Amino acid sequence: MPAGPDAAPSEPADPTVPLDRLVPGDTAADPRPDRTATDHRAGALSDAARLALLDSMPVAIFVIDHHANVHFANDRIAEMIGIPRDQLLGRNVLDFVSVADIDFVADLLDAGTRFSQVLMGPSRVRYLDVVGNEHWTQVWAHATPPELGLNGFVVTLTSESVRDVLATAVTSVAMEDPLDRTLAAVALAARALPFDGRGAILALDSGGADDAQRFRMIGDWPLDEAAINAFGTPWRQATVDGTDVDIDDVSISSLAPGARELLRSAGVAAMFVRPIRDASNEIAGVFVVFRREVGPATANQNDHLDDALRLAGLAFAQRRRRLELEHAAHRDALTGVANRAAFNERVRVERRPADVLFVDLDRFKAVNDTHGHDVGDKVIALAAKRLGSTVRRNDVVYRTGGDEFVVLCEETGADPAARIWLAERIIEQLSAPYDIGDLRVSIGATVGIAAIGDRSLVDTVRAADQSLYRAKDAGRARWAHDGA
């Protein structure tokens, strides 16, 4: 019953909260016996209610001294780190800071001793959970009020959000980091709020031998690796249909019983499965978020998914542009074969050994002088096309000069027969007439050959060049093999 109008006014609740009362499990009633839950003046809370209020807040709150030792922690900080809060008391907060940010946090603590009544923050810091995973958080700190009887700081942390994690991916894109590094940052966003799951990006791998190796995984994959490229999966369906293939509840989904059991045993209750499109609107991969809670995506989750998908698509588009630029820089504009820059790079890096054939077009200068450069360019382009169709699949053709080409061949062994046969085929194909409109043009070809043997690629190239000059001195339209 509320007190009547003639009743004596109740004693106001003490507005301070002694620090020794703010301990884990402090839910005891107010110790003053003349108090009831209903006789508090408006705006006054019991100590237990204040503690409950701190625990219900969506932010982590803890109190530390100037040595960074924890004197109080609410439930939210315990949830973020993953250990009971009574085990946090007395611990040093630096124990939970990423090595990369230890010095930064130590500087913050030092700076805090020089300021009074100033709210410091927000500062972006990485912290460690109980199993050692890194998470981003934003930190605010304020000197402890005198009422707490402790010289230190009240610190507030926000839980890691998807946008916090995606900020790292944005930086990765801006720095033009390798594709997998950016995609890994995007995939990591699945663990943050509001997703609170595990995430992986399955990149469509153009280098896969066949459809059985369709995907390359980047991120956190809780299933058997065989499931990555299994047939009949939601992620494979997403690339075929080009649509979202979310599963709101694994247990009642249309997946095969074995697939449902596999997911449930991995702690997966639901999934977001979204195709990733690049700037050309082509599907480049799939973002898969393995969730612990059932239910469809909320509007908030969809917004964050869209952010993640756009960023992943931007990373794929950036990689495509980079490859196109690299391709253009290493391709001959007239013929489409690799150019001299690509040849010099191959020789410099010497990734693998190769036999070398130097090819020089005979009588090409006469074609240019007689019919003009336009006809000459067409002859060069047709010669390159014939050369490309003559060499073997793994051989690489380079245009190194106006009428000069080099063929790098996979090693053909000690017997020169295969190299000689290839040289004769090149001479035969390049010597056949060229029809340029109503004009028929004939040229020839001379080839210098060198086998890699035990020498370097640089020495092999030099030997093939010398063989070419020997062949030319012998009358052109022929080949010469070093050592033969």
Side-chain angles (χ1 to χ4, degrees):
M1 290 278 296
D6 297 329
S10 60
E11 179 183 352
D14 184 356
T16 66
V17 183
L19 189 64
D20 58 1
R21 289 206 195 143
L22 289 178
V23 296
D26 183 5
T27 59
D30 192 300
R32 284 164 287 193
D34 58 338
R35 291 300 182 87
T36 67
T38 60
D39 69 356
H40 288 292
R41 193 171 60 184
L45 296 175
S46 69
D47 295 343
R50 296 176 204 185
L51 181 61
L53 180 63
L54 290 176
D55 283 341
S56 68
M57 294 184 70
V59 294
I61 301 173
F62 59 95
V63 179
I64 60 174
D65 58 30
H66 281 306
H67 299 291
N69 297 313
V70 178
H71 290 256
F72 166 77
N74 72 343
D75 275 346
R76 191 69 191 121
I77 184 65
E79 292 171 4
M80 289 172 62
I81 295 177
I83 61 176
R85 65 177 177 178
D86 60 339
Q87 295 181 21
L88 286 172
L89 299 181
R91 295 286 298 272
N92 193 287
V93 295
L94 296 180
D95 294 343
F96 304 101
V97 176
S98 167
V99 172
D101 287 339
I102 285 285
D103 290 342
F104 175 65
V105 173
D107 288 343
L108 288 178
L109 288 167
D110 181 61
T113 62
R114 300 195 301 272
F115 297 95
S116 177
Q117 303 305 314
V118 174
L119 180 65
M120 296 183 295
S123 299
R124 198 159 178 255
V125 175
R126 284 161 288 193
Y127 72 91
L128 303 174
D129 63 23
V130 69
V131 296
N133 293 324
E134 285 190 354
H135 305 266
W136 284 104
T137 182
Q138 293 197 59
V139 182
W140 289 262
H142 193 280
T144 51
E147 293 84 353
L148 287 185
L150 175 74
N151 191 19
F153 304 98
V154 178
V155 183
T156 302
L157 309 180
T158 56
S159 299
E160 181 182 43
S161 73
V162 170
R163 286 193 172 92
D164 289 332
V165 183
L166 290 183
T168 302
V170 170
T171 302
S172 183
V173 169
M175 296 295 293
E176 296 190 359
D177 285 340
L179 175 66
D180 282 14
R181 184 178 300 174
T182 303
L183 295 182
V186 175
L188 201 60
R191 75 184 184 188
L193 297 175
F195 293 158
D196 192 27
R198 302 171 68 175
I201 288 179
L202 301 179
L204 286 174
D205 195 347
S206 58
D210 52 41
D211 200 46
Q213 298 297 320
R214 186 174 182 82
F215 296 114
R216 180 171 54 85
M217 192 277 293
I218 304 100
D220 187 1
W221 189 258
L223 309 179
D224 188 292
E225 288 188 2
I228 294 173
N229 282 293
F231 290 90
T233 59
W235 36 94
R236 190 176 283 268
Q237 183 183 344
T239 63
V240 174
D241 298 343
T243 59
D244 301 346
V245 192
D246 292 356
I247 296 179
D248 299 339
D249 189 339
V250 166
S251 63
I252 59 173
S253 69
S254 60
L255 293 172
R260 291 200 300 267
E261 180 56 35
L262 177 67
L263 289 165
R264 284 198 300 262
S265 64
V268 178
M271 289 188 293
F272 299 136
V273 183
R274 307 288 177 99
I276 301 168
R277 297 180 182 273
D278 63 16
S280 302
N281 204 36
E282 295 182 10
I283 296 176
V286 184
F287 185 30
V288 184
V289 179
F290 299 94
R291 305 167 54 207
R292 301 179 183 89
E293 301 293 333
V294 299
T298 65
N300 190 29
Q301 288 171 329
N302 274 322
D303 285 345
H304 285 82
L305 282 167
D306 288 344
D307 287 344
L309 293 171
R310 279 193 293 267
L311 191 52
L314 181 60
F316 278 111
Q318 185 182 70
R319 194 271 301 265
R320 172 176 286 190
R321 288 194 297 270
R322 186 184 301 122
L323 292 177
E324 288 172 349
L325 289 172
E326 291 175 356
H327 184 271
H330 290 83
R331 286 285 146 183
D332 178 60
L334 175 62
T335 64
V337 301
N339 61 14
R340 187 172 192 88
F343 175 71
N344 291 339
E345 177 70 10
R346 170 71 187 275
V347 172
R348 182 185 69 81
V349 176
E350 198 166 351
R351 293 185 296 270
R352 59 185 184 277
D355 299 328
V356 180
L357 278 70
F358 263 74
V359 182
D360 188 71
L361 301 183
D362 300 332
R363 302 186 301 279
F364 177 73
K365 184 177 184 300
V367 171
N368 262 343
D369 293 343
T370 303
H371 303 291
H373 290 288
D374 185 54
V375 171
D377 286 349
K378 289 181 171 63
V379 170
I380 286 289
L382 287 172
K385 185 175 181 180
R386 291 184 186 182
L387 193 55
S389 62
T390 301
V391 300
R392 301 167 306 167
R393 185 180 66 177
N394 293 327
D395 299 338
V396 183
V397 177
Y398 300 84
R399 185 185 179 203
T400 56
D403 59 353
E404 297 174 346
F405 295 86
V406 176
V407 180
L408 294 188
C409 307
E410 297 294 327
E411 290 183 273
T412 52
D415 188 347
R419 294 184 290 277
I420 292 172
W421 176 86
L422 181 57
E424 291 176 342
R425 283 281 295 160
I426 289 172
I427 293 170
E428 177 186 353
Q429 292 296 313
L430 297 186
S431 298
Y434 297 81
D435 291 324
I436 311 296
D438 296 332
L439 185 66
R440 172 161 285 196
V441 176
S442 294
I443 60 173
T446 302
V447 181
I449 311 169
I452 185 76
D454 295 329
R455 57 191 165 191
S456 69
L457 185 54
V458 172
D459 289 340
T460 308
V461 168
R462 188 178 296 114
D465 191 31
Q466 293 170 352
S467 295
L468 177 65
Y469 281 103
R470 285 201 297 117
K472 286 182 177 181
D473 290 342
R476 300 178 183 273
R478 64 189 65 211
W479 58 266
H481 196 306
D482 75 312

